[in-house]
Each structure stands twice: as C-alpha cells, then as structure tokens.
Amino acid sequence: MRMLIAIWFGLMIVQDLCAVPEGEKELRAAYQARQKAVWNLKLKPAWSPDGMEMVYKHEKEGGWEFLKVHLKDGKKGRVFDHQAVAKVLEASPDKLPIKALRYGSAGLEMQHKGEWKKLDGEKVPKQQETKSESQSSQQSPDGKWEVRIQDHNVILEPRKGGETRVLTSDGNSDHGYQGVLWAPDSSRFVVWKMKKGQRRMVKMVESSPADQLQPKLHSLRYDKPGDVIDTQAPYVFFTDSRPVLVPDYALLKDPFQVNKLAWRSDSQRLTYEYIERGFGKHYVLEADTEERKHRVLVREESATYIYVWGNGFRHDLNGGSEILWLSERDGWNHLYLLDGKTGGVKKQLTHGNYVVHKVVRVDEEAGEVILIAGGKESGQDPYYKHWYRVDLKTGQMLHLTPAEGTHSVEFSPDGKYYVDSVSEVHRAPRHVLRRAKDAAEVCVLAVCDLEALKQTGWREPQPFVAKDRDGKFDIWGSVEFPDDFDPSKKYPVIENIYAGPHDQHVPKRFRVWNGSTTDLAQRGFIVVRIDGKGTGKRCREFSHFCYKNIADAGFPDRIAWMRAVAKVVPQMDLERVGIYGGSAGGQNSTGALLFHGDFYKVAVSDCGCHDNRMDKIWWNEQWMDWPVGEHYAAQSNVTHAHKLKGKLLLTVGELDRNVDPASTMQVSNALMKAGVDHKLIVVPGGGHGAGEGLYPKWQRIDWFEKHLGSAE
C-alpha cells in the first residue's frame, strides 16, 4: 500500500510538471465543484479517556463546527467556544483551521498548522517515547542461555559460565540456520533452517534519471511462477543435550511457505503452518517435542486452491485448546471453532449462503468475535460489508449495522459504543452512534446532503444486477453517466475492468468522483464496472471459476450483463464498446480484444501482467497452480496476440516493480511479428500505474474518443 501511495504522489508530481490540457482543467474544476458541494462524507471520532464523550468535526453549509456527544444519552453540543478559539487562531469561527482533535496529555488538543496545541493555542510538548526493555529473541526467558547463529550454524552458550556447545556444523550460505524462538520454560528452542532458491533478479533500465545524463541499471529480487524458491523448516534444539528434533519432511512436501511458529504454554508442543506450492493444502502442524513426533493438527485441502491470505484466519484460544479458523470447506467462507488437540470441528460459528470477509477482533474474555460479512442480508447487494458480533459458545449473531448499504465502523476504546458509517454508490453517507451491547441507535451524528451536489449537474451512478452467462448467478455492477446525459442520444460504452480473483472490484461506497471512471463519463461516455465470475467475495463455485482459467476474466458474464442493462438503458450503444484497465486489468483489457473482439472494439491496457509466467510468483501460482503447465501458455496474451481485433493502446512504466514491464514489451513484440497494428507508450521513469499519469491518461481519453466517437 505504501508503494502504491508513493507511486500516486510521484505521478501527481509528474502531472504538475507537464502541460495541463484544457480538458484536464475542466475535469479538475468539476471535481473541485463537487467536493465543495458536499460535506460530512467522512467522520473521524475522538473518544474521551473516561468513556463518557466523543468529539468530532461536523461540516455544514458555510463551514464546520466541533461537536461533543454524551455517549449514554446522545446529547450534543459544541466542544468549545468557537468565537474564543477563532480569536486565538485569527480565523473565522465557522471555518476554524483545525485539522483534527484528540485527547492527549494536555486534555483536549487540536491539530493546527501541522502541530498539536492546546485550545488556547499553546504548543503541546512532544512526548518522549519510552522504549520497553524487550528481551533479545536469542536469550532464553530465564536468562540462563543465549543462542548465536554463527557462520550459518547454531551455537548455545550458558550466560553464567560453562561449556559453549556447537549444535550444528552443516549450515552454509545456501542452506543455513536463522531465527530463534525459545519455549516458555527455556528448556528448548526452535530455529529455522533456510534453503535458498534461485532468487531471480529482474533488471530494468532507467532511461532518463534526474541526477545524471547516462541511464541507470536497476535490479529487483522477483520470483516468478515455476522458480525454485527459498524454503524453510523448523528444527528444535534442547538445552539438556538431547539430539535435535528434525522436521518430518513428508509433511512439508513442495512447500510454498512454512511459517507462524508458536509454542504452547506447556513448552512441549510447537505449532507452525504449512502452505503447499500451488496453494492446494494449508495445514497447521504440531510437533510434540517430548514424543518427538510431528502431525497435521488442522488439515485444509482443496482440488482448486486455498486463498490463505484473503480468506484465511487463525486465532488460538485458551492457550491453544481451541482454534478459530476460517474455511471455505462448505462452499462459503465461514468461521469455525476447532478443537485445539484434535483439529476437529467443535462448532461452525457462521453458516449459510454468505461470506465472512474478515475477523476484526477476538475478545476471549467476553467470549465473542467481531467480524465483517457480505450476503447475509437478503435483498441487498452481497458485496455490502456488514458487521456482526458472534458468541463463541452459542454462535448467536448480533447484526451491528442494520441499515442497507456498505458499512465502516469505529469502536470506542472500551468497545461499548461505535460509529456506524453507511453509504451506497448512489446514496450519501450517514453516520450514527450505536451502543455495542444491542446495536441500538444512540443518535445520528451527521448526514451528507446531496442537494448542493445535484445543483452542479452530478448524476448518481446506478447499481445494476443481471444473470451470468448460464442464468445461475447474480452479476453485480454499476453504470456511470455523463453529467450532460441526453436520453435521446446513443452513447459509446466503456468498461473499466479489473478481474483479479483476490477480491471484488466494483465500488460500493459513495464517492463524489470515481477516478478515471468519472473522467471518462465526463467526456461523454457511459462507463460500467462489473464483477464477473472468477472474482472474489462470493461462494466457492463462483470465485474458484478462475482456477487455471484466469484468461476467462468473466467476459461472457460481463457481456451478458451489459446486454441486460442496455434493455433498461437503451442509450448504451453496444456496437461501440471499449475497455481499459491496469495490472491484472491490463491483462484483461487486452484479452477482451483477443478473445471477444466481436463485442469489444477498443482497448487501453496499462502495466498488464499479460503472461502469468512473467508476473510475481505468489499472485499467479495462487490461481494458476504449480507446476507451470501448458495452461499458462494457453492463456497468455502473447500466445494469442495474432488474434487481436480492434484498436489497442498499451502503456507501461519502464521501472514497474510490481509487474515486470517486459510483459508488456513481449505482447507488443508478438503483435509486431504478427503484423497487427497497435500503439505503445513507454513512460520514462514510470512505475506501476504509470498509465494514470497526465500524458498517458489523455492519450487514453483521446484513443477512446478517436475510435469510439461521441454521443450520437
């Protein structure tokens, strides 16, 4: 995420250095007008230490005010005398230049001009950070022993005198020991033994560095599908000279990752997790270091894949006697309570035709969890995020966010109250204070009014649902219209695509401007976004459709959806359909012209992972499996480049560290060899997402305007 933010800011700097087209000035002016026409889009609470009050910034026509609310009864009032503070800050009382409020060492503090101050304007001294005396990870908890890793081998030293023992001699730079985790009773410890893989390095040339004339060569560690990767396994050593307990490698066959070491409180049992290469297996393994045995404690297996990092969750309860575990084993991602000794299911805590998105918090003392799920509320968009509290003993669920829409929640520090913010793409945010005990509404904190926004000409996006290619699943998407939409005209249609299987991608919360989607709508296009089969946050059958099938990208579902929507919105001209996207969306948008060129006529593809063998290992082996087989080449855009129909614009940053820029170059090369006309823009110094920079952005807009035309 930090990298993406850095890239965005870098692109904004480039934009400032470039000549700004008149069209861009118009878009920026429209964006600013929309921003000024709405207030209370977001609400950031500050909770009092005594748990009695909450303060927040409340926006209103002509300015804003700072309010406090009594949590128990919802009574509200101003936090301070705005006139008095305005005099201190030499500002308008209706537009106090206070960025935020917080409860700090000086009581209630305000952020003003980048500094925290008291309400009287006096600067709050910076608090000295206190560093806790954390015990070295290599020193035993009782302080009697210390482990050193020297020349890739393990050495045990008594700290109060005695014989130093060299515990291993087989470690080397390619297969050595590293990291130490002591058992609680200091009688033993575990060390990883790491075996190096090939460690592929991708090299990129920066053609136009800012600090020198000559180009620079950059190297980046970048494992790709099929590469020999680093592997590690846990070895247990004892302080009483017992022989090392080696791993059971039969349980660690073809590992992608072995991690998350944890000792049980008895200092006898050790748990760790294993993910198989290709993601078909995810185990919690247990080593009984007294019995000197390893076993599979929790076994999760799939004929397709297990999306560990997106749909997975594990939390050990009561010292490991029970385990909370997320699994798709019944076809939907649900939360299970497992027996920590047998790994068997004690209780399925959530069940039904809906998906648990995330476990937010586990409160062992209260015996409950807070989680986010989608699809449980009938009649609503299944992607809306709703929050629930689940009792670990009974499985009883309390719905914390009863209003229709997608929700974000912020709890008070003591967990007794929370701010519930809800919106939809076409409905403005509403912020409510609720009581956690029963989800009862205490008071409405703020509402975003859209009347002023409508006066700017804004047209609300419209969510639509239609059936998939087989008429089985609901496909959800949204349509965005030009502000000057004329029902008597036919408009070209552009799809903004991102079909990455790791999530769903159609926006669900309210925004005044949806980035490039709104940019294109303002230029006279009807723009759509769709979550087709193979994308995430749905049932196993729907989402796992992508398995070894990434090139499908749900296109038949997307086309069926657009045809269904066009019956309701006849102004959509399905003879003039374009498509664009970046990264996985770059792969998808080019694929649209390769595999569905009779429907899609124009495409713009930025930084695409056009061949899944060229992209990063962890993302592509997740969906395409391992070993790398013929199915990889069969779904590569390079393999099918000669089939391209329509007009294609490729953009790529020469320093893309997310997707190897050579992937785009190889597609262009294949198109050239096949004699297929296309356009390629390489952005000097550009990283991932360089196609969103000012110049390539307007090349994209011009490309669609030239080849799709305008409203007729």
Side-chain angles (χ1 to χ4, degrees):
M1 179 60 72
R2 290 178 181 174
M3 180 179 291
L4 291 175
I5 293 172
I7 290 169
W8 185 84
F9 277 111
L11 291 174
M12 294 303 294
I13 292 171
V14 171
Q15 288 184 9
D16 290 341
L17 297 176
C18 295
V20 180
E22 285 302 316
E24 179 69 17
K25 294 178 182 178
E26 293 173 2
L27 292 179
R28 293 183 184 182
Y31 170 77
Q32 291 296 331
R34 287 190 182 185
Q35 287 288 97
K36 293 177 181 178
V38 294
W39 41 88
N40 295 317
L41 283 174
K42 297 180 180 180
L43 190 148
K44 178 65 176 175
W47 308 90
S48 65
D50 61 8
M52 300 297 292
E53 292 184 335
M54 184 199 82
V55 301
Y56 64 101
K57 180 180 180 180
H58 178 261
E59 298 172 336
K60 59 181 183 176
E61 188 172 5
W64 53 84
E65 59 186 344
F66 292 91
L67 299 181
K68 63 180 177 181
V69 56
H70 190 260
L71 297 178
K72 189 173 183 179
D73 57 21
K75 291 182 179 179
K76 290 181 284 188
R78 283 192 166 183
V79 180
F80 47 74
D81 185 332
H82 281 53
Q83 294 285 350
V85 174
K87 289 181 180 180
V88 173
L89 301 181
E90 298 180 347
S92 166
D94 292 324
K95 294 185 178 181
L96 293 172
I98 298 174
K99 185 72 173 178
L101 294 177
R102 73 177 185 187
Y103 287 94
S105 58
L108 192 59
E109 301 169 353
M110 64 180 178
Q111 189 178 23
H112 176 243
K113 294 184 177 180
E115 296 179 332
W116 286 100
K117 301 177 181 180
K118 300 177 184 178
L119 294 178
D120 60 8
E122 181 182 346
K123 185 178 177 181
V124 177
K126 286 187 177 180
Q127 298 180 2
Q128 295 294 324
E129 293 184 7
T130 57
K131 295 183 178 180
S132 60
E133 293 293 330
S134 60
Q135 179 176 280
S136 168
S137 62
Q138 297 186 354
Q139 182 178 313
S140 63
D142 63 8
K144 295 180 179 180
W145 303 92
E146 186 166 350
V147 176
R148 287 191 292 112
I149 306 298
Q150 181 174 311
D151 297 326
H152 313 288
N153 281 297
V154 183
I155 297 174
L156 179 64
E157 291 183 336
R159 288 180 55 81
K160 297 181 180 180
E163 181 184 355
T164 295
R165 283 185 279 160
V166 178
L167 300 183
T168 68
S169 60
D170 61 336
N172 56 60
S173 59
D174 291 324
H175 197 182
Y177 298 90
Q178 63 181 38
V180 177
L181 182 65
W182 280 94
D185 69 356
S186 302
S187 66
R188 64 206 74 188
F189 59 92
V190 60
V191 178
W192 289 118
K193 191 174 186 182
M194 170 75 76
K195 185 176 183 180
K196 284 185 180 179
Q198 68 188 77
R199 299 193 172 189
R200 181 190 297 272
M201 301 299 292
V202 167
K203 299 184 183 299
M204 293 173 280
V205 175
E206 183 180 8
S207 63
S208 312
D211 58 346
Q212 67 184 48
L213 174 64
Q214 298 301 327
K216 287 182 179 179
L217 180 65
H218 297 265
S219 294
L220 171 69
R221 167 80 185 279
Y222 195 99
D223 294 338
K224 296 187 178 185
D227 284 356
V228 178
I229 60 174
D230 292 354
T231 58
Q232 62 184 19
Y235 284 66
V236 179
F237 298 87
F238 301 83
T239 59
D240 61 5
S241 301
R242 276 180 283 178
V244 59
L245 173 61
V246 301
D248 183 349
Y249 278 98
L251 299 178
L252 301 175
K253 185 179 180 182
D254 299 324
F256 183 83
Q257 196 171 74
V258 181
N259 60 5
K260 298 183 181 178
L261 290 170
W263 286 101
R264 297 300 194 202
S265 58
D266 61 9
S267 294
Q268 174 176 328
R269 293 170 297 142
L270 173 77
T271 62
Y272 52 103
E273 294 189 19
Y274 155 80
I275 303 170
E276 183 189 49
R277 192 84 182 262
F279 300 88
K281 295 182 175 66
H282 178 206
Y283 296 160
V284 177
L285 299 174
E286 183 183 81
D288 188 322
T289 60
E290 286 295 315
E291 297 294 329
R292 304 183 69 82
K293 294 179 181 179
H294 298 263
R295 65 168 177 145
V296 178
L297 175 61
V298 179
R299 185 184 302 270
E300 197 74 40
E301 298 183 349
S302 171
T304 53
Y305 62 80
I306 300 164
Y307 185 25
V308 180
W309 296 302
N311 292 335
F313 173 81
R314 170 194 165 197
H315 181 89
D316 294 348
L317 297 168
N318 306 317
S321 63
E322 295 178 318
I323 300 171
L324 287 173
W325 184 257
L326 273 177
S327 169
E328 287 187 314
R329 59 183 64 180
D330 76 346
W332 302 80
N333 203 42
H334 280 303
L335 185 63
Y336 294 78
L337 182 65
L338 307 182
D339 188 305
K341 293 184 178 180
T342 68
V345 176
K346 295 184 70 173
K347 184 183 294 292
Q348 183 172 346
L349 293 169
T350 65
H351 46 82
N353 295 345
Y354 64 95
V355 173
V356 174
H357 291 191
K358 180 181 180 181
V359 176
V360 178
R361 188 177 70 203
V362 179
D363 188 335
E364 288 195 50
E365 184 176 346
E368 62 188 30
V369 299
I370 303 295
L371 57 80
I372 302 172
K376 191 176 188 301
E377 307 310 311
S378 61
Q380 292 193 35
D381 185 327
Y383 299 107
Y384 284 167
K385 294 180 179 179
H386 284 270
W387 294 57
Y388 303 86
R389 186 170 68 238
V390 183
D391 188 290
L392 293 178
K393 289 184 179 180
T394 66
Q396 184 177 356
M397 298 180 71
L398 174 65
H399 189 192
L400 298 173
T401 53
E404 181 172 2
T406 197
H407 295 255
S408 62
V409 166
E410 182 166 340
F411 282 91
S412 61
D414 61 10
K416 294 181 179 179
Y417 296 89
Y418 59 96
V419 174
D420 173 17
S421 298
V422 59
S423 72
E424 299 175 81
V425 291
H426 58 308
R427 292 180 184 168
R430 186 172 185 265
H431 311 281
V432 177
L433 177 67
R434 294 186 184 277
R435 190 171 55 220
K437 180 175 66 174
D438 53 8
E441 180 178 308
V442 178
C443 68
V444 176
L445 298 170
V447 176
C448 179
D449 191 296
L450 299 183
E451 288 307 311
L453 179 62
K454 292 176 182 178
Q455 296 302 314
T456 68
W458 171 80
R459 293 182 62 89
E460 62 185 35
Q462 288 295 316
F464 279 94
V465 60
K467 290 298 181 182
D468 71 343
R469 68 192 80 179
D470 302 316
K472 181 176 182 179
F473 290 106
D474 284 341
I475 302 296
W476 293 78
S478 64
V479 180
E480 192 160 344
F481 302 90
D483 281 356
D484 60 355
F485 178 74
D486 184 342
S488 68
K489 294 181 178 181
K490 297 282 281 188
Y491 288 82
V493 179
I494 298 175
E495 180 182 356
N496 180 357
I497 188 172
Y498 190 96
H502 55 279
D503 207 341
Q504 63 85 209
H505 309 289
V506 177
K508 299 300 173 183
R509 66 179 179 86
F510 182 86
R511 296 184 178 96
V512 298
W513 197 279
N514 287 297
S516 60
T517 302
T518 305
D519 289 344
L520 286 164
Q522 291 295 87
R523 296 293 295 186
F525 300 98
I526 290 178
V527 188
V528 302
R529 298 191 70 174
I530 309 157
D531 282 315
K533 282 171 66 175
T535 51
K537 296 293 188 288
R538 296 287 290 274
C539 69
R540 181 187 181 93
E541 182 183 354
F542 185 99
S543 296
H544 288 235
F545 189 75
C546 70
Y547 176 66
K548 292 187 177 181
N549 189 35
I550 202 99
D552 179 275
F555 277 120
D557 312 311
R558 298 168 186 276
I559 293 169
W561 184 91
M562 278 187 264
R563 286 176 172 155
V565 174
K567 294 178 181 178
V568 181
V569 185
Q571 295 83 7
M572 293 172 61
D573 186 350
L574 296 189
E575 295 301 315
R576 294 184 292 156
V577 179
I579 188 169
Y580 75 101
S583 197
Q587 177 184 19
N588 304 146
S589 49
T590 295
L593 298 190
L594 299 178
F595 308 118
H596 301 278
D598 292 334
F599 184 81
Y600 296 96
K601 303 301 192 298
V602 184
V604 180
S605 302
D606 181 46
C607 56
C609 42
H610 297 281
D611 187 316
N612 296 103
R613 297 167 296 183
M614 289 291 294
D615 194 25
K616 51 199 163 289
I617 185 173
W618 59 268
W619 198 85
N620 294 272
E621 284 193 6
Q622 173 73 74
W623 327 113
M624 295 289 282
D625 212 331
W626 175 87
V628 173
E630 294 180 356
H631 62 288
Y632 273 81
Q635 297 185 57
S636 166
N637 287 347
V638 177
T639 304
H640 298 276
H642 63 283
K643 300 177 182 177
L644 189 134
K645 296 181 181 179
K647 302 295 183 179
L648 174 64
L649 168 61
L650 298 169
T651 61
V652 66
E654 67 179 5
L655 296 181
D656 190 335
R657 295 175 178 270
N658 188 320
V659 175
D660 188 343
S663 190
T664 295
M665 305 304 287
Q666 290 180 0
V667 169
S668 182
N669 180 51
L671 290 168
M672 291 179 186
K673 288 183 176 180
V676 179
D677 189 33
H678 66 290
K679 184 175 182 178
L680 170 66
I681 297 175
V682 179
V683 181
H688 196 59
E692 296 303 317
L694 188 60
Y695 178 81
K697 167 186 170 178
W698 278 91
Q699 288 293 308
R700 176 176 66 210
I701 292 173
D702 290 344
W703 191 256
F704 284 130
E705 290 179 342
K706 177 180 178 181
H707 296 296
L708 290 179
S710 58
E712 295 176 355

